Amino acid sequence: MLIHGKLVRLTRPQDEGNGYAMFWFLVTEDIEYNDKHQVLCRGVIPMAIPGIPLEMEVIQVNGYIYDIQTAKVYSNTRESSLFFLQDIKGISPKTANMLLDRLDGNIMKLLDMDTEAFFKGIKRSKVYRDSLMEKLRGINLTQSTYEELLSCGLEYSQISRLQTIYEGNAIGALKKDPYSAGEKVDMDFIKKDFLARHYGLSRLSVTRMKSAAIEVLRINESKGNTRITIEGYIRTFNELIRHSAWIKSVSSVYLFAVINTIPEIMVRDGYLFFKRRYLQEYDIYKHLNRIKDIPKDLGITLNDVMMMEKEKGFRYLDTQRRLFSSMNKNNVILMPGKPGTGKTTTISGAIRLYKEKNPKAKVCMCAPTARASQVMKESSGYPASTIHSLLKLIPYGNDYLGKNENDQLECDLLIVDEMSMVDTEIFYLLLRAIPNGCQIILCGDPDQIESVGCGSVFRDLLNSNTFCTVTLNQFMRQDAQSSIVQNCKKILEGDPDLIADEQFFIGRYESDEAAKRALLYYYPKDEDCMKHQILSTTKQGKVGTEVLNRTLEDPADADSLIYHDYVYRAGDKVVFVSNNYKAGYCNGDVGVITEIHNGMTVSLGDETVSLGEYDLDEILPADVITVHKSQGGEYEDVYVMLPEKPRVLLTRNILNTAVSRARKKVMLFTVRNSLSICVSNVMSHNRDTWLSIFFQQDN
């Protein structure tokens, strides 16, 4: 609906980067409003000045809360025009009314008139004429910029950020080089390309080719790879061009001539890749060999293990004992294992034996996310942190400040858990900070879904046959009979006949709506939110994370914070959607809001993160998260939504990851044949990396 009125009071300051604001708006139309004839609006506006008149297209969210779809400065009425005149030196109320009488109540008409002729004969007009016209031109430029760029498909937030970066001349910057300007606001290549055509640039311009060349490698890395064959690169490039502003193909000879001028891209042995990523993988290879080649002899004996077993009151499994003996001769040990095979018990035993032989030794435990490190700490009884906290990482240009080759960790034994989640960059940053003589044990489940970032570090190390590997493949006595553990085994073996009991509920429904109703019936919304977690394979659709989170949220009230389409309040669970090592959170971290202010404070176990009003794009509600985001987490009960689509997300690894998040109970809601499709789908994508090649060359 279209509404008019004026901004009364900001409840959230306008984000200087994306233009987002929340404010009370005195509305002239007869719509649902509060007792002051005001509505609460949220969204992007060109200017956030109390009193400014606006015309907005809005959608009602709840009661008198409205989301802004479009907004522009409104000057078509006498009252709105008075707003632009009130702060100009030399214009009194009498003068303002006189000017508006001559302009039929619309001050913006001055922009289309001969101002010399208009002001001729008006006393003292020289005092305010120039400042008035400057203000009107600025408003008009901002308005026309938004209108033009919105028609080109840009988002309000992108326009606002460009206006800030280029000091009000976003269009000038885009006309000159839309590829470089668009890069500053995370604009995808297709959008940049349509802007280039709109502003008359050549389809064969070098800047276009460079932007497309880099985009192809980004697409490849988003699939987990760190390199791509020349044939695959050309195929991806042509696919990108087919969806671009100019669908006409580009000569491969010309493309590679341009690629040869891009310092960030390398071509070698029939592959293309980012130089930085290649060097990171090579450094991983070098550092692991450096650490591995330092001899270690701890002197752990079978008698030491038996004495520990006697004190603990149980006998370690043979595979666990093998890990302890391996610590005597190997500085790098890989320990893959599925849930229930005693990984936590093994880690605790390894630390104890190490400390017995080296009482003054410093032991560090870490994991890629706050949730994973918290689980590690709770399960083992030893302190644990995130990898980035351990390294004290702070982004600096294209690198990070913190622990590195010149300022290494003080650590004698390092244990890293959830290695399947660790990508190339974070593992490189970790290894360069590990001193000679430090023993490292890398733990994880290779059957979990792989890292969000590119690389396949843990799988590459396991396949290299270079390092001592102790596979935990025996189930602990107390876990062997668990239907959760048994069903994980069945899933990975492709057996759809899962065990249904009090610990493992399986519901089959004929529609997404029916599955959703069942979920809402069983989910204990008012209990401790960190004990229970709903997982969905997808963000989109009727049972995706977006719809389900909105369904579960409570209506907004005076104590809540509204951002985009979500209502946040103290006690709500949120998930971080990007890495910010300086602030102290990682993509996938789940925490609880402890306080609402201009932004919010979020508890991540032992750590607290404060988000300002400009940081709220970093989070989403987490009553429901994707299976990918759940990696590294553990919950008492897990509620898994398994829709039939998209089928690309119905794989054994994804279902195994979801089910293995639960300690006590799994509630599985399947739609039609989604379970059988999922269990039968062995499709897996082997990521193409340089790291695997470096180790193959050694063998």
Side-chain angles (χ1 to χ4, degrees), residues 19-256:
Y20 189 91
M22 288 176 53
F23 54 91
W24 287 104
F25 187 72
L26 184 62
V27 63
T28 60
E29 282 78 12
D30 187 17
I31 61 174
E32 191 168 354
Y33 44 75
N34 67 5
D35 56 357
K36 296 180 180 179
H37 217 285
Q38 296 174 6
V39 294
L40 185 63
C41 296
R42 57 191 194 184
V44 177
I45 56 177
M47 296 179 187
I49 306 169
I52 191 168
L54 297 170
E55 177 182 272
M56 301 186 295
E57 185 73 34
V58 298
I59 295 176
Q60 186 175 18
V61 177
N62 178 46
Y64 48 77
I65 301 172
Y66 294 81
D67 273 344
I68 301 167
Q69 304 302 298
T70 63
K72 66 179 183 179
V73 177
Y74 184 66
S75 62
N76 292 3
T77 66
R78 190 179 191 91
E79 182 182 1
S80 59
S81 290
L82 283 170
F83 170 80
F84 301 111
L85 298 173
Q86 62 185 2
D87 295 327
I88 298 176
K89 187 176 180 181
I91 299 183
S92 65
K94 181 178 178 181
T95 302
N97 281 307
M98 178 269 294
L99 292 174
L100 292 177
D101 287 341
R102 296 189 177 198
L103 295 166
D104 297 327
N106 187 353
I107 193 65
M108 300 302 288
K109 285 186 176 182
L110 264 177
L111 294 173
D112 300 321
M113 300 175 66
D114 181 348
T115 53
E116 288 290 336
F118 178 82
F119 286 108
K120 187 176 181 180
I122 299 178
K123 295 179 180 180
R124 299 179 54 82
S125 62
K126 289 183 179 181
V127 175
Y128 57 80
R129 183 177 63 185
D130 291 343
S131 55
L132 171 60
M133 295 308 299
E134 182 180 354
K135 183 174 185 177
L136 296 181
R137 290 189 190 100
I139 294 168
N140 189 61
L141 177 61
T142 299
Q143 189 84 348
S144 60
T145 296
Y146 273 83
E147 290 176 357
E148 178 172 344
L149 296 183
L150 283 170
S151 69
C152 293
L154 272 70
E155 300 172 4
Y156 261 82
S157 59
Q158 291 174 324
I159 301 170
S160 297
R161 288 164 63 192
L162 285 169
Q163 284 287 84
T164 301
I165 293 168
Y166 293 104
E167 298 179 347
N169 191 24
I171 289 180
L174 290 170
K175 284 181 176 180
K176 182 179 180 180
D177 184 357
Y179 301 102
S180 297
E183 188 71 18
K184 295 181 185 295
V185 294
D186 304 317
M187 198 182 300
D188 62 55
F189 172 78
I190 300 300
K191 193 173 289 185
K192 289 185 284 190
D193 211 42
F194 276 94
L195 280 170
R197 183 163 187 170
H198 176 74
Y199 289 123
L201 277 70
S202 168
R203 75 177 183 88
L204 295 177
S205 68
V206 172
T207 53
R208 181 184 188 235
M209 290 299 100
K210 285 184 177 181
S211 181
I214 291 171
E215 183 75 8
V216 171
L217 286 186
R218 286 177 177 166
I219 292 170
N220 185 57
E221 285 202 346
S222 72
K223 297 176 181 177
N225 306 302
T226 60
R227 64 178 196 163
I228 186 172
T229 64
I230 290 176
E231 294 81 2
Y233 185 93
I234 293 173
R235 185 167 56 250
T236 306
F237 177 83
N238 289 334
E239 181 67 20
L240 180 66
I241 294 301
R242 276 196 293 272
H243 292 87
S244 70
W246 293 276
I247 60 174
K248 190 174 181 180
S249 61
V250 176
S251 162
S252 297
V253 174
Y254 177 54
L255 170 63
F256 277 84

Side-chain angles (χ1 to χ4, degrees), residues 300-316 320-321 324 327 345-354 356 382:
I300 297 173
T301 65
L302 179 58
N303 186 60
D304 294 326
V305 177
M306 293 175 67
M307 289 290 290
M308 181 172 63
E309 290 174 338
K310 183 177 180 181
E311 184 176 326
K312 288 180 175 288
F314 66 85
R315 183 188 185 280
Y316 282 97
Q320 295 172 314
R321 285 184 164 194
F324 302 146
M327 292 172 67
T345 309
T346 309
I347 289 173
S348 299
I351 294 174
R352 173 167 172 167
L353 291 169
Y354 194 98
E356 285 179 357
Y382 290 95

Side-chain angles (χ1 to χ4, degrees), residues 71 93 98 120 169 199 220 242 273 307 336 383 396 413 526 563 584 598 625 629 632 688:
M98 178 269 294
K120 187 176 181 180
N169 191 24
Y199 289 123
N220 185 57
R242 276 196 293 272
F273 46 91
M307 289 290 290
Y396 184 77
L413 173 63
D526 296 328
Y563 190 72
N598 281 342
I625 60 176
K629 289 279 190 248
D688 200 347

Side-chain angles (χ1 to χ4, degrees), residues 646-664:
R647 292 204 173 192
V648 69
L649 296 175
L650 295 179
T651 67
R652 292 180 188 175
N653 282 6
I654 287 180
L655 183 56
N656 172 62
T657 300
V659 169
S660 61
R661 300 306 92 202
R663 288 193 290 257
K664 293 184 178 180

